[in-house]
Amino acid sequence: RAQSEVLAKRHHAAIQQLEAERRQVQAYHEDLQEQQLILAQRLAAVEGLENEKRVLARQKEEMARHRDALQLLDRRVRNSMGSQAPGPPVRASHEIRLLEKRRSVFRAASEHIVGPRHAGA
């Protein structure tokens, strides 16, 4: 009888130990799932920032092209002004039509510089 009590106590202790280990494994599994969720959120944030970075780089390039086009247009206008103008006269009516048509100084300037068929590309 004493031997069966000892075996029962060992069995009970083993079951308790297995339950404790199961709880540990479950807690570890939940921690891993939480970390996985956090990593997925961070990845999404990083991808979003990378997309924004690419968009900003494209916008920066476009702004630089527009700035160059405006500077060229400004130079042409300055060179065509005055009685001793070194350059050919700028057709103001053409410039105004472009501005009214496109409602964009940048687009009008770029179309004037590179031509209407290349400005949209």
Side-chain angles (χ1 to χ4, degrees):
R1 179 169 186 207
Q3 194 177 18
S4 67
E5 286 179 13
V6 170
L7 287 175
K9 285 182 181 179
R10 285 184 185 171
H11 179 69
H12 182 66
I15 289 175
Q16 285 180 338
Q17 185 179 4
L18 284 174
E19 279 295 315
E21 287 178 10
R22 187 190 64 75
R23 286 190 300 270
Q24 270 185 324
V25 168
Q26 181 65 28
Y28 181 70
H29 180 68
E30 289 171 2
D31 285 345
L32 284 177
Q33 285 180 328
E34 185 178 334
Q35 289 176 5
Q36 187 177 16
L37 178 64
I38 290 170
L39 287 175
Q41 291 171 342
R42 287 183 180 178
L43 177 63
V46 167
E47 288 173 347
L49 290 173
E50 287 175 351
N51 286 338
E52 286 181 28
K53 185 178 174 181
R54 284 190 291 273
V55 167
L56 288 174
R58 282 192 299 267
Q59 289 175 347
K60 185 177 177 181
E61 290 171 4
E62 185 177 343
M63 293 284 289
R65 283 192 306 272
H66 292 310
R67 183 188 62 238
D68 292 344
L70 284 173
Q71 287 173 345
L72 181 59
L73 183 60
D74 182 57
R75 205 169 33 250
R76 285 183 177 174
V77 169
R78 280 187 279 117
N79 287 343
S80 70
M81 296 173 78
S83 60
Q84 300 290 328
V90 174
R91 298 177 309 274
S93 62
H94 177 69
E95 311 302 334
I96 292 171
R97 273 189 277 123
L98 281 175
L99 287 173
E100 289 172 349
K101 179 179 174 186
R102 298 294 179 179
R103 299 196 188 283
S104 166
V105 173
F106 293 135
R107 183 162 303 239
S110 66
E111 284 185 0
H112 176 73
I113 302 308
V114 297
R117 63 178 175 227
H118 294 96

